[in-house]
Amino acid sequence: MTFVGWSGRLDPDGNTYDFVVTGQPNNDSSYSNAQVDTLMKQQRAEPDPAKRKTLLQQAQQIFTVDDPSRVWFGFTISALTSVKSVAGMESYPDRIPRFQTAQIQR
C-alpha cells in the first residue's frame, strides 16, 4: 500500500498523468490501459480548456473504476492554521501555501 500526499494542482494533468499513464514514474500500481493513455495524451495536446476537461473526465471515468489497486480521494478544504500576528498569508486553490507575502506583526 502506498499513500501519496499530493498537493493538488490547479491543472488536473499534474494530478493524474504521471499516476495513470503506462510507464510513468508515479504509476506505482503499474496500471496500464491503452484507452486511458490515449485520452491523457490527447488532453495534453488540446488547447481548448473545455475539450481538455471532457478528455480528462473520460479518462477519469475509466481509471477510477479500472484500477482496483488505487483508491482515489480528495478534500475540498485546504486547512491553514495561523495566529493573529501573521499577516499577508495567501491561500491558493492548489493547497500549497506560499509564504513570500507573509509577515509577523508586532
Side-chain angles (χ1 to χ4, degrees), residues 12 43 46 48-59:
Q43 66 83 26
E46 179 56 60
D48 182 341
K51 291 178 182 177
R52 279 192 70 223
K53 181 178 180 179
T54 298
L55 293 164
L56 283 160
Q57 287 175 332
Q58 288 173 356

Side-chain angles (χ1 to χ4, degrees), residues 61-96:
Q61 289 172 352
I62 298 167
F63 66 71
T64 55
V65 174
D66 192 39
D67 185 3
S69 63
R70 189 182 313 270
V71 177
W72 294 91
F73 65 93
F75 301 100
T76 57
I77 297 173
S78 180
L80 182 62
T81 304
S82 186
V83 293
K84 290 181 182 180
S85 61
V86 175
M89 186 69 195
E90 294 183 44
S91 182
Y92 289 81
D94 63 4
R95 299 188 285 237
I96 300 173

